[in-house]
Amino acid sequence: MNNVYLPITVDHIARVEGKGGVEILVSDDGVKEVRLNIIEGPRFFEAITLGKKLEEALAVYPRICSFCSAAHKLTAVEAAEKAIGFTPREEIRALREVLYIGDMIESHVLHLYLLVLPDYLGYSGPLHMVEEYKKEIGIALDLKNLGSWMMDELGARAIHQENVVLGGFGKLPGKATLELMKKRLQEALPKAEYTFELFSELEQYGDVEGPITHLAVKPRGPYGIYGDYISASDGNEFPSEAYREHIKEFVVEHSFAKHSHYHGKPFMVGAISRVVNHSDKLYGMAKELYEAHKDLLRPTNPFANNLAQALELVYFTERAIDLIDEALAKWPIRPRDEVEIKDGFGVSTTEAPRGILVYALEVKDGKVAYADIITPTAFNLAMMEQHVRMMAEKHYNDDPERLKYLAEMVVRAYDPCISCSVHVARL
Amino acid sequence: MKGKLRIGFYALTSCYGCQLQFAMMDEIVQLIPNAEIVCWYMLERDSYEEKPVDIAFIEGSVSTEEEVRLVRKIRENAKIVVAVGSCAVHGGVQSWEKDKPVEELWKAVYGNATVKFRPKPAKPVEDYIKVDYRIYGCPPEKKDFLYALGTFLVGSWPEDIDYPVCVECRLNGHPCILIEKGEPCLGPITRAGCDARCPGFGVACIGCRGAIGYDVAWFDSLARTFKEKGLTKEEILQRMKIFNAHNPKLEEMVEKIFREVKE
């Protein structure tokens, strides 16, 4: 029986979405246990929406998480539309993707500037940086406002977008607004590039370097959000519908969120996984930046996720402009098609800001008969725990405060969304 | 008011949307010189749940034993407690099935596996501690935060809105979704303050700000209108309960309509 010292714990990790803690147990012969305690209460989303009207369930799902509510709404709506056998028009799909990109921009900016950057600049939080880093905070606010405004215009608001409905949108902005959106995206591009430069200079800790299996949705066209297949960095590819054959969820006792394994092992999803698996589908400025900085966008370090998000800020800013053009080419656009709510089953997999988001919905008599939702953070938890352990193994003899800090930084690099992870799925 | 206003923002079980809305206000930069952030984990590593504050903003429903302890601690340490958003004020969407035992929901999700934390049925903060003021919405509008903060900073307090979304809808001149489209809009029973945001987009209100207080949420009248449009009692109850599951009057008022003599 080895002596286990007092655990090194962070009860509540700051500057992440949601409530979780880290616990590191050290004994005479090194690190014994590393646990990510997910302590936020479960909300049983799948269980409470069973038997409910489809439209009402679709209004409730985004409440799983505010940082990615548009991702939840759009993925749930796609799964529901697949279930009832409805395919939206091209221009509606394009505009939904623009809305999704608004979420992507807002979420990445929030994570990079407000949650991650303070660590590197030696601050406890972004509110202390306002005086010293006016330019950076200014850019963060500008880009954040752009993402929020895109969601306001296309989603009715930036958090919980009620304007996305079965069959399309409740109402669409006018042509002038879409033109203005393009203009604002063009103006934002240099700010996105500045963000990439800024983050390309930040340290990626070598302590957690090692092989990682990356999973990402294979985009239908260019690099992006929607897709019907999941690709793995081991060369595998499988249809979205078959996600349960490849990814197994299981309960761990120190967490309200389940863990997941791909073929029996932890894996990673998120911006870096998208870049690793689908860099060949990038284009424009982001493609050039990727080619020039490949060595920093390594598949072997979770800290590369921060830079990958910065790269995506550049990419998605340009991509949104092209998608708006695609929609404008079909102007005027009817916002909504009549849908008939038939029985059926549909699976949607999209790339939320933090990685693969899965919705599987069965619809019967206009009601939800089965729901399974798996969120990126739930996919990531096992891998995250492993990376925190690697960090602990290198630093357990350091000052505990230093280890806590480094462990938190690993968790922050993943940009976890703990509210998402505890929404909990059925077994 | 002496010195800086000490503020704490605490989260229970929620989607973090209220805090996000608060953090996303550009005005927050102007607020900083007048305030000391004592606890706000989402943005501040130097956060202390134990320290006294002038104003405690609480987001989320009480859903675990730990959260019961936390809200009691916050109440002891705070001069003013503000429940923020639908989860804290009304129990949130996670209360939609509040009559199903938590064990049943638990089994549906975790099977027989054990987790070392204990969940509880989601409840509003007010079920456990005294709440002084409320900020409504899912999420609240930015102006709701600005209004509340503004009043606190000048030593006053925020007044509740006591009229329905329909008032704002009429003022905006939106077509009535309930009458003209026949869709089950909850505007008539829902507390205003959103400027009829969703009806403005042609989308029926789902009641995210919760029912109007002061016993003027006429669930019965609206239930009768819905019934005339062909909705069953179950459908009406389920829709009204998305954000009002804990409302003590809702069920009896809807039941009343369905007990009326059939013509």
Side-chain angles (χ1 to χ4, degrees), chain B residues 122-143:
Chain B
K123 287 200 172 139
V125 172
E126 221 153 346
D127 282 24
Y128 293 95
I129 57 166
K130 179 174 175 287
V131 165
D132 302 306
Y133 305 106
R134 292 151 207 85
I135 294 178
Y136 303 92
C138 182
E141 300 284 325
K142 285 179 183 170
K143 65 175 174 58

Side-chain angles (χ1 to χ4, degrees), chain B residues 90 136 160-163 189 191 210-217 247:
Chain B
H90 300 120
Y136 303 92
D160 277 352
I161 286 176
D162 57 358
Y163 48 85
I189 56 157
R191 192 185 298 266
I212 323 156
Y214 310 102
D215 286 343
V216 292
N247 191 299

Side-chain angles (χ1 to χ4, degrees), chain B residues 69-84:
Chain B
R69 279 191 291 276
L70 176 61
V71 289
R72 290 187 177 140
K73 205 159 54 191
I74 295 169
R75 181 69 268 187
E76 276 169 35
N77 285 330
K79 287 183 187 160
I80 294 174
V81 170
V82 186
V84 179

Side-chain angles (χ1 to χ4, degrees), chain A residues 218-238:
Chain A
K218 186 182 171 186
R220 284 170 192 155
Y223 187 101
I225 288 166
Y226 284 96
D228 307 295
Y229 290 85
I230 291 172
S231 67
S233 55
D234 62 8
N236 255 322
E237 196 178 284
F238 54 89

Side-chain angles (χ1 to χ4, degrees), chain A residues 9 12 18 105-106 115 119 130 167 176 198 218 251 255-256 264 269 278 280 320 328-329 355 371 381 422:
Chain A
T9 51
H12 191 160
I105 292 172
E106 183 191 83
L115 310 186
D119 285 335
V130 175
L198 178 69
K218 186 182 171 186
V251 178
S255 163
F256 274 129
V269 298
H278 300 297
D280 58 323
L328 284 174
L381 280 172
V422 292

Side-chain angles (χ1 to χ4, degrees), chain A residues 149-409:
Chain A
W149 175 72
M150 288 163 74
M151 292 193 277
D152 279 340
E153 289 295 343
L154 287 161
R157 60 180 166 198
I159 303 171
H160 308 326
Q161 298 77 2
E162 313 298 349
N163 190 36
V164 181
V165 295
L166 286 173
F169 290 93
K171 189 178 163 188
L172 281 174
K175 196 173 179 180
T177 304
L178 289 172
E179 298 279 7
L180 177 65
M181 206 177 279
K182 267 177 61 180
K183 186 167 160 280
R184 287 186 65 179
L185 283 156
Q186 267 146 358
E187 287 163 0
L189 200 52
K191 293 169 190 166
E193 283 171 51
Y194 177 83
T195 307
F196 184 83
E197 277 163 40
L198 178 69
F199 278 80
S200 68
E201 287 159 15
L202 303 184
E203 188 181 352
Q204 298 183 20
Y205 294 82
D207 306 311
V208 289
E209 192 79 28
I212 304 173
T213 305
H214 294 275
L215 263 62
V217 173
K218 186 182 171 186
R220 284 170 192 155
Y223 187 101
I225 288 166
Y226 284 96
D228 307 295
Y229 290 85
I230 291 172
S231 67
S233 55
D234 62 8
N236 255 322
E237 196 178 284
F238 54 89
S240 299
E241 282 76 13
Y243 71 97
R244 283 195 162 270
E245 292 164 33
H246 299 269
I247 300 167
K248 296 276 181 265
E249 282 189 298
F250 52 96
V251 178
V252 289
E253 68 137 27
H254 56 275
S255 163
F256 274 129
K258 292 176 188 176
H259 282 204
S260 287
H261 278 170
Y262 163 75
H263 296 178
K265 288 212 290 284
F267 61 99
M268 188 168 177
V269 298
I272 187 64
S273 306
R274 292 190 283 266
V275 171
V276 167
N277 289 10
H278 300 297
S279 60
D280 58 323
K281 300 182 186 72
L282 289 163
Y283 67 87
M285 177 64 68
K287 179 85 180 163
E288 287 168 38
L289 289 171
Y290 171 78
E291 293 298 343
H293 298 275
K294 246 189 242 175
D295 56 321
L296 293 175
L297 292 153
R298 290 196 303 280
T300 49
N301 193 320
F303 282 97
N305 193 47
N306 293 331
L307 188 59
Q309 286 193 352
L311 181 76
E312 285 193 338
L313 276 180
V314 176
Y315 175 80
F316 281 120
T317 300
E318 286 199 304
R319 180 74 188 134
I321 295 169
D322 293 345
L323 286 162
I324 294 170
D325 277 334
E326 277 177 37
L328 284 174
K330 305 218 166 166
W331 203 263
I333 301 173
R334 195 172 65 254
R336 195 170 178 175
D337 290 316
E338 280 300 308
V339 295
E340 193 194 337
I341 301 186
K342 299 196 283 267
D343 292 0
F345 175 74
V347 176
S348 171
T349 49
T350 65
E351 282 291 340
R354 291 157 186 75
I356 303 174
L357 174 61
V358 179
Y359 266 76
L361 295 175
E362 188 190 345
V363 180
K364 219 174 175 161
D365 305 324
K367 298 192 170 80
V368 175
Y370 167 90
D372 186 24
I373 304 162
I374 315 182
T375 63
T377 298
F379 282 141
N380 270 332
L381 280 172
M383 194 81 227
M384 211 185 301
E385 224 164 63
Q386 195 169 302
H387 278 129
V388 173
R389 172 181 276 276
M390 283 164 86
M391 193 57 108
E393 279 165 355
K394 294 272 191 342
H395 294 275
Y396 70 90
N397 284 323
D398 299 7
D399 172 7
E401 286 307 312
R402 164 98 182 135
L403 173 54
K404 279 184 197 179
Y405 206 67
L406 289 167
E408 282 181 46
M409 282 182 77

Side-chain angles (χ1 to χ4, degrees), chain B residues 105-121:
Chain B
L105 297 172
W106 178 265
K107 244 192 152 53
V109 170
Y110 295 93
N112 294 320
T114 54
V115 171
K116 68 181 176 187
F117 314 108
R118 306 228 359 234
K120 299 172 70 71

